[in-house]
């Protein structure tokens, strides 16, 4: 039986990835500092560890060796764009040092397969609405830059000591695979809109003068269960030696504007969902939609769930 270690496995995305790996027949070990994760999401071995802290690489290497880990999925990171603008030092410390310590531990323990949780934020403002992996990476906020630095470190490790890695660039993740696994912090658009609609409050729209069809930002929303399946496919691809160093967009290839999301939330909940336009946020690109073709070609993955299903599962 293959053993996969998941950092950040007690988090919203991580718990879905753990469940998908277990369904695939893996034995799973989770490492999480529980700063944003919840231990009750995890029913596999859980090692509390701050991956950005002193001695983290040595401690993680011991876990890798003791558990006889074959592959690592590195999810543990901070991910709030606005927070990263206000506190960039924290984002570089957690997101970049975390990657460095994971790489050091893997090299020390002789573990050579890594799936890395990256982000479409590495692209920044793109020239076209649909973006593929060959687009220039010009992140416009500290969060995106911290993810890109992590990618660079991983690429260098593949050349230096034979690491085999896939960097998954997530687009906008939402939805849930059941009430127990829902995102418990309303920090992304869909749960925020759902929360406001339930309270009878208008949903905030950050700018209605973007260069898009209706003036609001356009994003590619991918169901968290589809995202979890992408991690399983990536791990399997590394094990089969079919690929070993690439970046893959994880999205649907279909964009939805903020106003469209609000309309879908209203339709799913049977409620009139109102919007209130406020100022743009610093660091928000106008449109970001994945071209996910490379993920289909290299690891055989494509998203199966649509926006309505995402909203319905997030609101259950």
């Amino acid at each position: 039986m293959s053993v996969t270690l998941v950092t950040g496995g007690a988090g919203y995305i991580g718990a879905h990835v753990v469940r998908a790996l277990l369904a695939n027949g893996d034995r799973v070990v989770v490492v999480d500092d529980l700063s944003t994760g919840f231990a009750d999401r995890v029913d596999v071995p859980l090692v509390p560890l701050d991956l950005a802290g002193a001695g983290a690489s040595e401690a993680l290497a011991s876990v890798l060796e003791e558990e006889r880990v074959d592959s690592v999925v590195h999810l543990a990171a901070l991910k709030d764009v606005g927070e990263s603008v206000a506190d960039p030092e924290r984002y570089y410390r957690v997101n970049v040092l975390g990657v460095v310590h994971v790489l050091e531990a893997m090299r020390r323990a002789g573990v050579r397969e890594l799936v890395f949780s990256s982000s479409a934020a590495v692209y920044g403002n793109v020239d076209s609405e649909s973006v593929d992996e060959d687009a220039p990476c010009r992140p416009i906020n500290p969060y995106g830059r911290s993810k890109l630095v992590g990618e660079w470190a991983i690429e260098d490790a593949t050349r230096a000591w034979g690491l085999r890695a896939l960097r998954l660039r997530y687009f906008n993740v939402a939805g849930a695979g059941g009430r127990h696994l829902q995102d418990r912090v309303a920090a992304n658009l869909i749960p925020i809109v759902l929360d406001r609609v339930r309270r009878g409050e208008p949903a905030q729209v950050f700018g209605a003068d973007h260069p898009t069809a209706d003036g609001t930002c356009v994003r590619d929303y991918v169901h968290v269960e589809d995202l979890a399946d992408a991690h399983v496919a990536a791990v399997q691809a590394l094990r089969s030696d079919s690929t070993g160093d690439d970046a893959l967009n994880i999205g649907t290839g279909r964009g939805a504007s903020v106003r469209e999301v609000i309309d879908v939330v209203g339709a799913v909940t049977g409620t009139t969902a109102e919007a209130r336009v406020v100022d743009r946020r610093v660091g928000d690109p106008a449109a970001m939609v994945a071209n996910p073709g490379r993920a289909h070609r290299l690891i055989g993955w494509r998203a199966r769930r649509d926006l309505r299903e995402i909203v319905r599962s997030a609101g259950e």
Side-chain angles (χ1 to χ4, degrees):
M1 179 183 292
S2 297
V3 182
T4 301
L5 183 140
V6 180
T7 73
Y12 161 58
I13 293 173
H16 286 87
V17 172
V18 168
R19 188 171 73 171
L21 287 165
L22 291 171
N24 187 58
D26 283 27
R27 186 166 70 84
V28 180
V29 178
V30 165
V31 168
D32 200 303
D33 67 0
L34 300 178
S35 58
T36 58
F38 297 88
D40 63 3
R41 283 182 173 142
V42 178
D43 54 5
V44 299
L46 169 62
V47 179
L49 179 63
D50 175 7
L51 290 172
S57 59
E58 294 84 356
L60 182 60
S62 295
V63 175
L64 294 173
E65 291 167 350
E66 290 168 6
E67 299 290 347
R68 299 184 179 181
V69 170
D70 303 294
S71 309
V72 173
V73 176
H74 181 41
L75 296 154
L78 300 173
K79 62 176 184 176
D80 186 292
V81 169
E83 183 182 63
S84 80
V85 173
D87 192 359
E89 298 86 359
R90 181 172 179 237
Y91 271 68
Y92 284 106
R93 182 178 69 252
V94 173
N95 291 1
V96 175
L97 266 183
V99 171
V100 171
H101 289 162
V102 167
L103 292 174
E104 288 176 342
M106 291 179 68
R107 187 171 190 174
R108 184 187 301 238
V111 179
R112 295 179 179 271
E113 297 173 359
L114 172 66
V115 176
F116 175 57
S117 165
S118 189
S119 169
V122 301
Y123 294 118
N125 284 321
V126 295
D127 298 327
S128 60
E129 184 172 304
S130 179
V131 58
D132 65 26
E133 295 87 350
D134 295 325
C137 288
R138 296 177 294 216
I140 60 174
N141 52 62
Y143 166 65
R145 283 191 276 272
S146 72
K147 283 296 186 179
L148 185 57
V149 173
E151 287 203 26
W152 289 343
I154 290 165
E155 288 182 276
D156 288 340
T158 63
R159 290 186 284 269
W161 52 271
L163 175 74
R164 301 177 59 253
L166 289 171
R167 294 161 278 130
L168 305 188
R169 293 174 177 169
Y170 304 174
F171 281 65
N172 288 60
V173 184
R179 186 180 298 274
H180 181 62
L181 298 182
Q182 283 183 342
D183 195 351
R184 301 181 191 179
V185 179
N188 297 314
L189 178 65
I190 289 174
I192 287 173
V193 174
L194 281 164
D195 181 60
R196 285 184 172 269
V197 166
R198 286 174 180 143
R199 290 189 282 129
E201 299 176 1
Q204 284 189 322
V205 177
F206 292 97
D209 57 350
H210 294 275
T212 61
D214 64 16
T216 66
C217 289
V218 171
R219 295 291 183 268
D220 186 333
Y221 296 93
V222 60
H223 198 293
V224 67
E225 288 189 300
D226 282 331
L227 177 69
D229 291 342
H231 287 79
V232 173
V235 168
Q236 290 178 319
L238 290 173
R239 289 174 184 162
S240 67
D241 293 326
S242 61
T243 185
D245 178 24
D246 224 320
L248 304 176
N249 286 340
I250 305 300
T252 66
R254 299 180 297 277
S257 73
V258 174
R259 288 194 187 276
E260 288 173 314
V261 169
I262 293 171
D263 289 343
V264 170
V265 169
V268 168
T269 60
T271 307
T272 301
E274 299 180 356
R276 180 167 65 88
V277 178
V278 297
D279 291 340
R280 291 188 188 189
R281 289 183 300 191
V282 176
D284 262 351
M288 184 71 69
V289 179
N291 177 341
R294 184 181 293 178
H296 180 61
R297 292 192 302 273
L298 293 188
I299 65 173
W301 174 88
R302 59 162 49 105
R304 297 185 292 111
R305 300 163 177 89
D306 63 13
L307 180 60
R308 183 174 288 267
E309 190 168 354
I310 291 171
V311 171
R312 186 182 300 112
S313 67
E316 288 178 345

